[in-house]
Amino acid sequence: EAAVTQSPRNKVAVTGGKVTLSCNQTNNHNNMYWYRQDTGHGLRLIHYSYGAGSTEKGDIPDGYKASRPSQENFSLILELATPSQTSVYFCASGDLGLNQDTQYFGPGTRLLVL
Amino acid sequence: SQLAEENLWALSVHEGESVTVNCSYKTSITALQWYRQKSGEGPAQLILIRSNEREKRNGRLRATLDTSSQSSSLSITATRCEDTAVYFCATDNNAPRFGAGTKLSVKP
């Protein structure tokens, strides 16, 4: 069964602290994505990856780093968390090739930066 | 950049009725996806329609794509209360970009 898991599911951080959000997929997908979702903005793309070792900047990368150490794992790192990064973060995996058109999202991580 | 956007913020229908959500996009695409997101969950992919397709169906769902007007629609027939959710379109070239979504409420 296709699955994307995220950890932690909820996180409270302090301003200036480091936060790492983790994502794991068992779908053997090449592509993985990180989004944040805020009321009125839909989902906004932060970083994405085409495979292990690759990371690409999305539309709102400032203040975030990404790491893809393996096919299965994709992390989002907030080196110096700020209250404006309070949001719900979603990870997704997908492959949109000729014979595949699947994309799966994780359940989300609620991050509160105080 | 918001490359896709749904045309209405919210819609309300009664169970059994049909409903259509519309989407417009701003760039050439390789594919357009429709997603549904229920409260407290991650988005779930409903239909992917490629740029060389004009229509695609999935059960009670039907998506259309008009590349000349850069628009797409998602129709749901025989709606059920469990169809209540936010519906997003997303353009997909190198990575999916989402609109703000249309909130659909299906009332008994």
PDB file of all heavy atoms in Angstrom, chain A residues 72-96:
ATOM      1  N   GLU A  72      14.038   6.995   0.058  1.00  0.00           N
ATOM      2  CA  GLU A  72      12.866   6.963   0.930  1.00  0.00           C
ATOM      3  C   GLU A  72      12.677   8.209   1.783  1.00  0.00           C
ATOM      4  O   GLU A  72      11.573   8.482   2.241  1.00  0.00           O
ATOM      5  CB  GLU A  72      12.949   5.743   1.865  1.00  0.00           C
ATOM      6  CG  GLU A  72      12.930   4.397   1.167  1.00  0.00           C
ATOM      7  CD  GLU A  72      14.276   4.031   0.562  1.00  0.00           C
ATOM      8  OE1 GLU A  72      15.308   4.613   0.959  1.00  0.00           O
ATOM      9  OE2 GLU A  72      14.294   3.158  -0.341  1.00  0.00           O
ATOM     10  N   ASN A  73      13.744   8.936   2.081  1.00  0.00           N
ATOM     11  CA  ASN A  73      13.683   9.978   3.100  1.00  0.00           C
ATOM     12  C   ASN A  73      13.982  11.370   2.546  1.00  0.00           C
ATOM     13  O   ASN A  73      14.906  11.564   1.752  1.00  0.00           O
ATOM     14  CB  ASN A  73      14.669   9.668   4.229  1.00  0.00           C
ATOM     15  CG  ASN A  73      14.278   8.394   4.970  1.00  0.00           C
ATOM     16  OD1 ASN A  73      13.233   8.339   5.605  1.00  0.00           O
ATOM     17  ND2 ASN A  73      15.099   7.360   4.863  1.00  0.00           N
ATOM     18  N   PHE A  74      13.193  12.316   3.012  1.00  0.00           N
ATOM     19  CA  PHE A  74      13.334  13.716   2.583  1.00  0.00           C
ATOM     20  C   PHE A  74      13.032  14.582   3.797  1.00  0.00           C
ATOM     21  O   PHE A  74      11.933  14.503   4.351  1.00  0.00           O
ATOM     22  CB  PHE A  74      12.357  13.993   1.438  1.00  0.00           C
ATOM     23  CG  PHE A  74      12.542  15.301   0.732  1.00  0.00           C
ATOM     24  CD1 PHE A  74      13.802  15.837   0.504  1.00  0.00           C
ATOM     25  CD2 PHE A  74      11.442  15.994   0.235  1.00  0.00           C
ATOM     26  CE1 PHE A  74      13.974  17.033  -0.187  1.00  0.00           C
ATOM     27  CE2 PHE A  74      11.596  17.188  -0.460  1.00  0.00           C
ATOM     28  CZ  PHE A  74      12.865  17.706  -0.669  1.00  0.00           C
ATOM     29  N   SER A  75      13.989  15.381   4.214  1.00  0.00           N
ATOM     30  CA  SER A  75      13.830  16.195   5.419  1.00  0.00           C
ATOM     31  C   SER A  75      13.745  17.665   5.074  1.00  0.00           C
ATOM     32  O   SER A  75      14.343  18.126   4.096  1.00  0.00           O
ATOM     33  CB  SER A  75      15.007  15.980   6.377  1.00  0.00           C
ATOM     34  OG  SER A  75      15.065  14.647   6.809  1.00  0.00           O
ATOM     35  N   LEU A  76      13.039  18.390   5.889  1.00  0.00           N
ATOM     36  CA  LEU A  76      12.952  19.851   5.792  1.00  0.00           C
ATOM     37  C   LEU A  76      13.537  20.418   7.073  1.00  0.00           C
ATOM     38  O   LEU A  76      13.136  20.019   8.171  1.00  0.00           O
ATOM     39  CB  LEU A  76      11.507  20.301   5.619  1.00  0.00           C
ATOM     40  CG  LEU A  76      11.303  21.790   5.361  1.00  0.00           C
ATOM     41  CD1 LEU A  76      11.834  22.173   3.980  1.00  0.00           C
ATOM     42  CD2 LEU A  76       9.819  22.154   5.477  1.00  0.00           C
ATOM     43  N   ILE A  77      14.483  21.340   6.920  1.00  0.00           N
ATOM     44  CA  ILE A  77      15.227  21.859   8.071  1.00  0.00           C
ATOM     45  C   ILE A  77      15.021  23.362   8.184  1.00  0.00           C
ATOM     46  O   ILE A  77      15.220  24.091   7.209  1.00  0.00           O
ATOM     47  CB  ILE A  77      16.729  21.546   7.919  1.00  0.00           C
ATOM     48  CG1 ILE A  77      16.917  20.033   7.747  1.00  0.00           C
ATOM     49  CG2 ILE A  77      17.510  22.064   9.114  1.00  0.00           C
ATOM     50  CD1 ILE A  77      18.086  19.660   6.907  1.00  0.00           C
ATOM     51  N   LEU A  78      14.616  23.769   9.371  1.00  0.00           N
ATOM     52  CA  LEU A  78      14.517  25.191   9.687  1.00  0.00           C
ATOM     53  C   LEU A  78      15.665  25.477  10.656  1.00  0.00           C
ATOM     54  O   LEU A  78      15.620  25.091  11.819  1.00  0.00           O
ATOM     55  CB  LEU A  78      13.188  25.507  10.345  1.00  0.00           C
ATOM     56  CG  LEU A  78      11.904  25.423   9.508  1.00  0.00           C
ATOM     57  CD1 LEU A  78      11.588  24.008   9.052  1.00  0.00           C
ATOM     58  CD2 LEU A  78      10.729  25.997  10.281  1.00  0.00           C
ATOM     59  N   GLU A  79      16.716  26.106  10.160  1.00  0.00           N
ATOM     60  CA  GLU A  79      17.908  26.326  10.986  1.00  0.00           C
ATOM     61  C   GLU A  79      17.632  27.317  12.124  1.00  0.00           C
ATOM     62  O   GLU A  79      18.079  27.118  13.244  1.00  0.00           O
ATOM     63  CB  GLU A  79      19.061  26.848  10.116  1.00  0.00           C
ATOM     64  CG  GLU A  79      19.552  25.855   9.080  1.00  0.00           C
ATOM     65  CD  GLU A  79      20.552  24.848   9.648  1.00  0.00           C
ATOM     66  OE1 GLU A  79      20.766  24.844  10.880  1.00  0.00           O
ATOM     67  OE2 GLU A  79      21.109  24.069   8.861  1.00  0.00           O
ATOM     68  N   LEU A  80      16.908  28.375  11.795  1.00  0.00           N
ATOM     69  CA  LEU A  80      16.576  29.401  12.783  1.00  0.00           C
ATOM     70  C   LEU A  80      15.080  29.674  12.662  1.00  0.00           C
ATOM     71  O   LEU A  80      14.656  30.533  11.896  1.00  0.00           O
ATOM     72  CB  LEU A  80      17.379  30.685  12.533  1.00  0.00           C
ATOM     73  CG  LEU A  80      18.901  30.591  12.711  1.00  0.00           C
ATOM     74  CD1 LEU A  80      19.573  31.853  12.161  1.00  0.00           C
ATOM     75  CD2 LEU A  80      19.257  30.414  14.178  1.00  0.00           C
ATOM     76  N   ALA A  81      14.283  28.942  13.399  1.00  0.00           N
ATOM     77  CA  ALA A  81      12.837  29.033  13.251  1.00  0.00           C
ATOM     78  C   ALA A  81      12.317  30.418  13.656  1.00  0.00           C
ATOM     79  O   ALA A  81      12.820  31.036  14.611  1.00  0.00           O
ATOM     80  CB  ALA A  81      12.160  27.961  14.100  1.00  0.00           C
ATOM     81  N   THR A  82      11.324  30.881  12.923  1.00  0.00           N
ATOM     82  CA  THR A  82      10.677  32.166  13.223  1.00  0.00           C
ATOM     83  C   THR A  82       9.168  31.946  13.331  1.00  0.00           C
ATOM     84  O   THR A  82       8.632  30.993  12.751  1.00  0.00           O
ATOM     85  CB  THR A  82      10.943  33.200  12.127  1.00  0.00           C
ATOM     86  OG1 THR A  82      10.270  32.787  10.935  1.00  0.00           O
ATOM     87  CG2 THR A  82      12.433  33.337  11.829  1.00  0.00           C
ATOM     88  N   PRO A  83       8.470  32.828  14.057  1.00  0.00           N
ATOM     89  CA  PRO A  83       7.007  32.664  14.186  1.00  0.00           C
ATOM     90  C   PRO A  83       6.279  32.626  12.841  1.00  0.00           C
ATOM     91  O   PRO A  83       5.238  31.976  12.719  1.00  0.00           O
ATOM     92  CB  PRO A  83       6.604  33.877  15.020  1.00  0.00           C
ATOM     93  CG  PRO A  83       7.811  34.165  15.855  1.00  0.00           C
ATOM     94  CD  PRO A  83       8.974  33.876  14.954  1.00  0.00           C
ATOM     95  N   SER A  84       6.837  33.282  11.819  1.00  0.00           N
ATOM     96  CA  SER A  84       6.188  33.276  10.498  1.00  0.00           C
ATOM     97  C   SER A  84       6.224  31.888   9.845  1.00  0.00           C
ATOM     98  O   SER A  84       5.535  31.653   8.842  1.00  0.00           O
ATOM     99  CB  SER A  84       6.860  34.292   9.562  1.00  0.00           C
ATOM    100  OG  SER A  84       8.206  33.917   9.316  1.00  0.00           O
ATOM    101  N   GLN A  85       7.009  30.979  10.393  1.00  0.00           N
ATOM    102  CA  GLN A  85       7.072  29.622   9.871  1.00  0.00           C
ATOM    103  C   GLN A  85       6.072  28.685  10.564  1.00  0.00           C
ATOM    104  O   GLN A  85       6.033  27.486  10.275  1.00  0.00           O
ATOM    105  CB  GLN A  85       8.496  29.080   9.980  1.00  0.00           C
ATOM    106  CG  GLN A  85       9.456  29.835   9.073  1.00  0.00           C
ATOM    107  CD  GLN A  85      10.904  29.396   9.235  1.00  0.00           C
ATOM    108  OE1 GLN A  85      11.409  29.286  10.361  1.00  0.00           O
ATOM    109  NE2 GLN A  85      11.586  29.159   8.130  1.00  0.00           N
ATOM    110  N   THR A  86       5.270  29.252  11.457  1.00  0.00           N
ATOM    111  CA  THR A  86       4.157  28.495  12.017  1.00  0.00           C
ATOM    112  C   THR A  86       3.194  28.143  10.891  1.00  0.00           C
ATOM    113  O   THR A  86       2.724  29.027  10.175  1.00  0.00           O
ATOM    114  CB  THR A  86       3.429  29.331  13.087  1.00  0.00           C
ATOM    115  OG1 THR A  86       4.302  29.497  14.211  1.00  0.00           O
ATOM    116  CG2 THR A  86       2.142  28.659  13.527  1.00  0.00           C
ATOM    117  N   SER A  87       2.933  26.859  10.726  1.00  0.00           N
ATOM    118  CA  SER A  87       2.137  26.426   9.591  1.00  0.00           C
ATOM    119  C   SER A  87       1.903  24.916   9.687  1.00  0.00           C
ATOM    120  O   SER A  87       2.361  24.263  10.625  1.00  0.00           O
ATOM    121  CB  SER A  87       2.878  26.745   8.272  1.00  0.00           C
ATOM    122  OG  SER A  87       2.060  26.505   7.142  1.00  0.00           O
ATOM    123  N   VAL A  88       1.183  24.399   8.706  1.00  0.00           N
ATOM    124  CA  VAL A  88       1.077  22.953   8.538  1.00  0.00           C
ATOM    125  C   VAL A  88       1.925  22.572   7.334  1.00  0.00           C
ATOM    126  O   VAL A  88       1.784  23.162   6.255  1.00  0.00           O
ATOM    127  CB  VAL A  88      -0.384  22.500   8.324  1.00  0.00           C
ATOM    128  CG1 VAL A  88      -0.446  20.983   8.186  1.00  0.00           C
ATOM    129  CG2 VAL A  88      -1.258  22.965   9.477  1.00  0.00           C
ATOM    130  N   TYR A  89       2.808  21.603   7.535  1.00  0.00           N
ATOM    131  CA  TYR A  89       3.745  21.195   6.493  1.00  0.00           C
ATOM    132  C   TYR A  89       3.368  19.819   5.968  1.00  0.00           C
ATOM    133  O   TYR A  89       3.129  18.882   6.739  1.00  0.00           O
ATOM    134  CB  TYR A  89       5.170  21.177   7.043  1.00  0.00           C
ATOM    135  CG  TYR A  89       5.676  22.560   7.356  1.00  0.00           C
ATOM    136  CD1 TYR A  89       5.401  23.171   8.571  1.00  0.00           C
ATOM    137  CD2 TYR A  89       6.418  23.275   6.411  1.00  0.00           C
ATOM    138  CE1 TYR A  89       5.844  24.457   8.848  1.00  0.00           C
ATOM    139  CE2 TYR A  89       6.870  24.555   6.679  1.00  0.00           C
ATOM    140  CZ  TYR A  89       6.579  25.143   7.898  1.00  0.00           C
ATOM    141  OH  TYR A  89       7.017  26.425   8.153  1.00  0.00           O
ATOM    142  N   PHE A  90       3.321  19.716   4.643  1.00  0.00           N
ATOM    143  CA  PHE A  90       2.989  18.449   4.001  1.00  0.00           C
ATOM    144  C   PHE A  90       4.146  17.994   3.120  1.00  0.00           C
ATOM    145  O   PHE A  90       4.731  18.776   2.378  1.00  0.00           O
ATOM    146  CB  PHE A  90       1.743  18.585   3.120  1.00  0.00           C
ATOM    147  CG  PHE A  90       0.470  18.716   3.896  1.00  0.00           C
ATOM    148  CD1 PHE A  90      -0.095  19.962   4.114  1.00  0.00           C
ATOM    149  CD2 PHE A  90      -0.158  17.593   4.406  1.00  0.00           C
ATOM    150  CE1 PHE A  90      -1.282  20.094   4.832  1.00  0.00           C
ATOM    151  CE2 PHE A  90      -1.348  17.707   5.128  1.00  0.00           C
ATOM    152  CZ  PHE A  90      -1.897  18.967   5.348  1.00  0.00           C
ATOM    153  N   CYS A  91       4.408  16.718   3.209  1.00  0.00           N
ATOM    154  CA  CYS A  91       5.363  16.059   2.335  1.00  0.00           C
ATOM    155  C   CYS A  91       4.582  15.216   1.324  1.00  0.00           C
ATOM    156  O   CYS A  91       3.490  14.716   1.637  1.00  0.00           O
ATOM    157  CB  CYS A  91       6.280  15.160   3.174  1.00  0.00           C
ATOM    158  SG  CYS A  91       7.452  14.170   2.231  1.00  0.00           S
ATOM    159  N   ALA A  92       5.118  15.085   0.136  1.00  0.00           N
ATOM    160  CA  ALA A  92       4.469  14.261  -0.877  1.00  0.00           C
ATOM    161  C   ALA A  92       5.530  13.529  -1.684  1.00  0.00           C
ATOM    162  O   ALA A  92       6.679  13.964  -1.779  1.00  0.00           O
ATOM    163  CB  ALA A  92       3.610  15.121  -1.803  1.00  0.00           C
ATOM    164  N   SER A  93       5.123  12.411  -2.260  1.00  0.00           N
ATOM    165  CA  SER A  93       5.991  11.703  -3.199  1.00  0.00           C
ATOM    166  C   SER A  93       5.187  11.427  -4.457  1.00  0.00           C
ATOM    167  O   SER A  93       3.957  11.309  -4.416  1.00  0.00           O
ATOM    168  CB  SER A  93       6.517  10.394  -2.603  1.00  0.00           C
ATOM    169  OG  SER A  93       5.521   9.397  -2.594  1.00  0.00           O
ATOM    170  N   GLY A  94       5.886  11.344  -5.582  1.00  0.00           N
ATOM    171  CA  GLY A  94       5.160  11.110  -6.817  1.00  0.00           C
ATOM    172  C   GLY A  94       6.081  10.815  -7.972  1.00  0.00           C
ATOM    173  O   GLY A  94       7.261  11.168  -7.945  1.00  0.00           O
ATOM    174  N   ASP A  95       5.523  10.164  -8.966  1.00  0.00           N
ATOM    175  CA  ASP A  95       6.213   9.965 -10.232  1.00  0.00           C
ATOM    176  C   ASP A  95       5.193  10.178 -11.336  1.00  0.00           C
ATOM    177  O   ASP A  95       4.142   9.534 -11.350  1.00  0.00           O
ATOM    178  CB  ASP A  95       6.804   8.561 -10.341  1.00  0.00           C
ATOM    179  CG  ASP A  95       8.203   8.481  -9.755  1.00  0.00           C
ATOM    180  OD1 ASP A  95       8.852   9.546  -9.642  1.00  0.00           O
ATOM    181  OD2 ASP A  95       8.633   7.380  -9.412  1.00  0.00           O
ATOM    182  N   LEU A  96       5.497  11.087 -12.239  1.00  0.00           N
ATOM    183  CA  LEU A  96       4.540  11.424 -13.289  1.00  0.00           C
ATOM    184  C   LEU A  96       5.132  11.090 -14.647  1.00  0.00           C
ATOM    185  O   LEU A  96       5.249  11.931 -15.510  1.00  0.00           O
ATOM    186  CB  LEU A  96       4.164  12.899 -13.187  1.00  0.00           C
ATOM    187  CG  LEU A  96       3.500  13.268 -11.862  1.00  0.00           C
ATOM    188  CD1 LEU A  96       3.230  14.751 -11.796  1.00  0.00           C
ATOM    189  CD2 LEU A  96       2.202  12.492 -11.671  1.00  0.00           C
TER     190      LEU A  96
END
